[in-house]
Amino acid sequence: MYRTNTCGELNIHHVGQEVTLCGWLQRSRDLGGMTFIDLRDRYGITQLAFNMETNAELCEKARKLGREYVIQAKGVVIERASKNTKIPTGEIEIDVKELNVLNEAKTPPFTIEDNSDGGDDLRMKYRYLDIRRNPVRRNLELRHRMAMLVRNYLSDRDFLEIETPMLIKSTPEGARDFVVPSRMNPGEFYALPQSPQQSK
């Protein structure tokens, strides 16, 4: 099973349950005998705990992981000794029994945090990383909800949504372009976008 829960839903009522979580490694803290990892997905953050005394091999494996690694962790929900009241999952942590690296990652050029250390130019260059940050994600979710409200409102009143093809400046590549001549600019053409990246 890929996961049993998201990283934002576990709380004190889940203590004792065996769970499987997946997500990005937000940050790691090595305290000698213990290693803690903050695991993040789009729903929140859950702390993973690795104990050198109970499973040294697994703890060493956790220490080698880098930021933004995609991992899967299986373990038991336990109550945290020092609770974090700032997040919904702050009363619990996962005593990890099994750890799988789903995908390694290079160290990102800026921190994937609410208050990132990356400037606008850097974050726009690495937009695919920037949209993992909570402020950007919340904006995308808001836009999605607004679009769905409008669509559902119109659909309930028997409107049809008809998508008009979007044309942009022709950029000849490997694929064959279906072009439309421009009346405003003789000798130039418009074409359908060949890939989503062109319209970002």
Side-chain angles (χ1 to χ4, degrees):
M1 181 180 293
Y2 179 67
R3 69 178 176 191
T4 59
N5 302 87
T6 68
C7 292
E9 66 178 292
L10 297 173
N11 55 50
I12 199 70
H13 302 294
H14 296 92
V15 168
Q17 290 188 18
E18 190 169 300
V19 298
T20 302
L21 301 179
C22 295
W24 291 285
L25 192 153
Q26 178 81 13
R27 67 177 65 87
S28 178
R29 299 179 300 283
D30 182 5
L31 304 181
M34 295 284 293
T35 296
F36 297 98
I37 286 176
D38 287 344
L39 187 67
R40 183 191 81 245
D41 65 12
R42 60 176 280 202
Y43 304 100
I45 292 177
T46 298
Q47 180 169 281
L48 309 179
F50 300 85
N51 194 324
M52 184 63 80
E53 291 183 2
T54 57
N55 195 329
E57 184 179 347
L58 191 64
C59 195
E60 285 294 340
K61 183 177 180 180
R63 289 176 177 177
K64 295 176 182 177
L65 303 179
R67 287 190 308 167
E68 295 306 298
Y69 271 46
V70 183
I71 60 176
Q72 179 190 59
K74 298 180 182 181
V76 178
V77 181
I78 60 174
E79 186 173 0
R80 283 176 64 162
S82 57
K83 296 179 172 56
N84 180 358
T85 57
K86 295 180 181 178
I87 58 174
T89 60
E91 291 185 296
I92 58 95
E93 62 190 11
I94 309 301
D95 182 17
V96 179
K97 307 299 183 186
E98 184 178 335
L99 178 67
N100 297 310
V101 177
L102 301 179
N103 195 46
E104 296 181 359
K106 294 180 180 178
T107 302
F110 55 88
T111 56
I112 314 297
E113 306 269 354
D114 288 7
N115 298 312
S116 176
D117 57 359
D120 289 346
D121 291 342
L122 188 62
R123 288 189 292 106
M124 290 304 101
K125 180 178 179 181
Y126 297 95
R127 180 66 172 165
Y128 62 94
L129 294 175
D130 191 45
I131 61 176
R132 298 179 188 177
R133 296 172 51 244
N134 285 329
V136 183
R137 177 186 52 79
R138 283 193 291 265
N139 288 340
L140 291 174
E141 289 176 351
L142 175 61
R143 186 173 71 175
H144 163 75
R145 288 195 297 270
M146 291 298 295
M148 292 305 297
L149 281 172
V150 173
R151 284 194 169 104
N152 291 337
Y153 177 87
L154 294 173
S155 180
D156 290 344
R157 285 153 182 79
D158 289 333
F159 283 84
L160 295 177
E161 180 173 345
I162 300 172
E163 185 177 344
T164 303
M166 180 176 61
L167 297 174
I168 65 171
K169 181 179 179 181
S170 180
T171 55
E173 296 174 357
R176 178 175 295 178
D177 258 336
F178 291 89
V179 296
V180 178
S182 170
R183 293 179 181 174
M184 302 293 292
N185 305 291
E188 296 188 11
F189 300 85
Y190 293 104
L192 290 169
Q194 292 190 26
S195 61
Q197 290 82 0
Q198 290 177 289
S199 301
K200 284 184 178 177

